[in-house]
Amino acid sequence: MISCAVVVPAAPLLVPELVPGTRLADEVRPAAVDAASRLPSRWVAVGAGDAGSAPVTVDADRAGTFRAFGAEVVVPLGAHAAGQPEDLPLPALVAAWLRVRAGAESVRTELIAGDASPADCVTLGEKLAAFDDGEPVGLLVVGDGSARRDTAPPGEEDPRAEGFDAAVATALARADTQALLDIDPALAAELRVAGRAPWQVLAGFARGGAWRGELLYSEAPRGVGYHVAHWEGA
């Protein structure tokens, strides 16, 4: 049974070996690790896959590597994962990296198409809500806000991005499932929001229940909105 959830960014910035010498991650990294450490020892992660892709499950018996992002940082998805490290999708790598940092036992990652409809996101969320094998499980939701904040490179910024991320931050702080479900997929795509589908999976999972939300971090250190939040049953 999944009784708590955490939202974190799908950010290579979290991994020190990928961003040596920068202070940009000094706040978001400990916030993400702290949030993940609040989950039980077994996790299910949700992240966005390629647009138009079929749902994909990355099982906890695999190991990934961040070599495609600049460093051979190996991250097993489970404490007993075997086999050669693979170039796994970024949400699975981030989930595995956080699992190692938090000392959790395992994380299975469910990838839903980045352009999935809100209805499809709700369907996956409801499926996760129905999962119960008798052991406590935490839900890790991996996804970024807008990549067009005012700290983005010249020409990439969009004046709507800050308000969009502020609304998402408020929804996460209040555990407002309807506000997350109301996110317009077209606007999110224009603002290059990678977290829209995973957040709407979270909303589908939590819809109809009583939840308490806590926002632990919400900034845009590299022109991308990063949010860290913790939800638990009220």
Side-chain angles (χ1 to χ4, degrees):
M1 178 179 179
I2 300 175
S3 60
C4 56
V6 160
V7 174
V8 297
L13 182 71
L14 294 175
V15 183
E17 293 88 343
L18 302 183
V19 284
T22 181
R23 295 184 179 180
L24 290 174
D26 284 353
E27 294 182 356
V28 63
R29 183 182 297 137
V33 173
D34 171 56
S37 297
R38 302 184 189 190
L39 296 173
S41 187
R42 292 194 306 141
W43 306 350
V44 175
V46 175
D50 294 335
S53 62
V56 173
T57 298
V58 182
D59 289 319
D61 60 354
R62 298 166 72 179
T65 172
F66 281 94
R67 62 190 164 205
F69 297 90
E72 185 66 58
V73 180
V74 175
V75 284
L77 278 79
H80 305 292
Q84 292 296 315
E86 305 172 58
D87 293 321
L88 297 175
L90 182 57
L93 293 174
V94 169
W97 184 84
L98 284 169
R99 180 202 71 80
V100 173
R101 285 298 182 103
E105 178 184 345
S106 65
V107 56
R108 184 185 85 238
T109 305
E110 302 289 344
L111 299 174
I112 187 168
D115 60 351
S117 69
D120 286 343
C121 295
V122 168
T123 296
L124 176 56
E126 291 174 341
K127 179 181 177 181
L128 294 174
F131 174 79
D132 187 358
D133 66 355
E135 298 291 336
V137 177
L139 178 62
L140 183 74
V141 182
V142 186
D144 296 341
S146 175
R148 304 190 70 179
R149 294 289 294 272
D150 58 3
T151 48
E156 292 297 310
E157 68 274 12
D158 188 304
R160 300 171 296 174
E162 184 174 356
F164 178 94
D165 274 331
V168 169
T170 298
L172 293 175
R174 296 177 178 175
D176 188 340
T177 57
Q178 190 58 52
L180 294 178
L181 290 173
D182 286 342
I183 295 174
D184 179 9
L187 174 60
E190 290 174 11
L191 295 178
R192 299 177 193 162
V193 177
R196 190 273 306 172
W199 298 335
Q200 291 185 329
V201 172
L202 169 63
F205 160 79
R207 187 172 62 169
W211 295 83
R212 290 188 298 268
E214 180 184 5
L215 186 68
L216 303 177
Y217 179 89
S218 183
E219 296 290 345
R222 277 192 168 179
V224 182
Y226 293 155
H227 307 294
V228 179
H230 174 249
W231 287 18
E232 63 179 335

